[in-house]
Amino acid sequence: MSPGGGRDAQLKHTGLRPGWTTGACATAATTAAYTALLTGEFPDPVTVTLPKGQTPAFALAAESLSAGAAMAGIVKDAGDDPDVTHGALVRSTVRILPAGSGVVFRAGPGVGTVTLPGLPLEVGEPAINPVPRRMMREHVALVAGLHGGTGDVEITVSVDDGEEIARSTWNPRIGILGGLSVLGTTGIVVPYSCSAWIDSIRRGVDVARAAGLTHVAGCTGSTSEKTVTTLYDLPEIALLDMGDFAGAVLKYIRRHPVDRLTICGGFAKLSKLAAGHLDLHSARSQVDKVFLAGLARAGGASESLATEIATANTGLAALRLCEAAGVPLGDLVAATARDEALSVLRGAPVWVDVVCIDRAGTVVGRAAPKGP
């Protein structure tokens, strides 16, 4: 089943097989379990609709049904991506709640719990990210409408051996304890080797130049693409799927210039660029809170605030501390990242501006265009 969209050609070109996120698997398991609770039968395979409209079908690997609860399990297939959760059994246990209770999420064995601030979930919440939660709520409502339920349920997501798997991730360092995070913004795992992704960046620059565009944007993900589109009304071919490869964008544009480059991405990722990292992946570079503290201090932060920033759990937590104190850390990171980008461009005739956003897509820092 193809993920669809403009990446089909890239996947065919690379020969890499896409897969499904943990969030998509949890949504399918939840759909099957709730259907069984209301009808007495598990749909197998179970079909769900992903955020961009794809409708994959998932075979059940485990199921159980009792008077008050149903459990369905799906083996995650991450395709050809080197995902540590590939092959893991993702389970969802659904229980009926009293009318008016809504949808309640719980962390079962192998799913972590948020213990520190600075993440997109409150402390104490199961590490089930916002988009998978939305997908599960939508499918619960759909099943309830089809089979006469109220849609008031408790959903407990678990991952077999998830606590052990999580030890090879960054979860423990950022305060997600007890297991994995349930992730995914599109439901699809798109596998790229570094060389394939960098090749796609280069081809994107080539296409934009061939079309006569003078302004392109290097974006770290779909949220930053939406932000840039809103700010500058750029056509789709002007959007470069930069991902973590800021260096690849800058080095290629150095040799193949455009008049203007906007770099847009999450505050934490762009703080890495500001600190001199050209590969923004979490496995290869980390947010340097001591560096952020130095920027904040230069922007008027007190020594006590600088100390708090240096010991903050995440880059986002550091940003929130500065926002509360009226210190423009977002703008400082954007300006420093812009200047770092200009240093990599080495005098190429390109004007650069930078936009930092938070996870919701809100602009939290900007640096005006600056040229060589």
Side-chain angles (χ1 to χ4, degrees), residues 196-286:
W197 197 319
I198 291 170
D199 183 67
S200 74
I201 290 170
R202 293 169 176 167
R203 300 296 77 78
V205 174
D206 292 343
V207 169
R209 283 165 49 90
L213 299 186
T214 58
H215 185 184
V216 299
C219 304
T220 58
S222 59
T223 302
S224 55
E225 286 184 357
K226 291 176 184 175
T227 301
V228 163
T229 301
T230 300
L231 290 175
Y232 301 115
D233 194 28
L234 291 175
E236 187 173 13
I237 60 171
L239 305 178
L240 306 175
D241 190 2
M242 179 175 75
D244 295 311
F245 300 109
V249 169
L250 292 167
K251 291 173 185 177
Y252 196 70
I253 288 180
R254 183 174 70 207
R255 299 191 300 272
H256 307 274
V258 293
D259 290 351
R260 182 172 172 186
L261 168 66
T262 295
I263 297 174
C264 183
F267 169 82
K269 281 189 182 293
L270 294 191
S271 77
K272 298 179 187 180
L273 175 60
H277 297 288
L278 299 182
D279 186 336
L280 311 182
H281 193 281
S282 60
R284 296 180 286 275
S285 61
Q286 298 300 307

Side-chain angles (χ1 to χ4, degrees), residues 178-213:
L180 295 160
S181 303
V182 178
L183 303 172
T185 57
T186 65
I188 298 167
V189 176
V190 181
Y192 287 106
S193 67
C194 291
S195 60
W197 197 319
I198 291 170
D199 183 67
S200 74
I201 290 170
R202 293 169 176 167
R203 300 296 77 78
V205 174
D206 292 343
V207 169
R209 283 165 49 90
L213 299 186

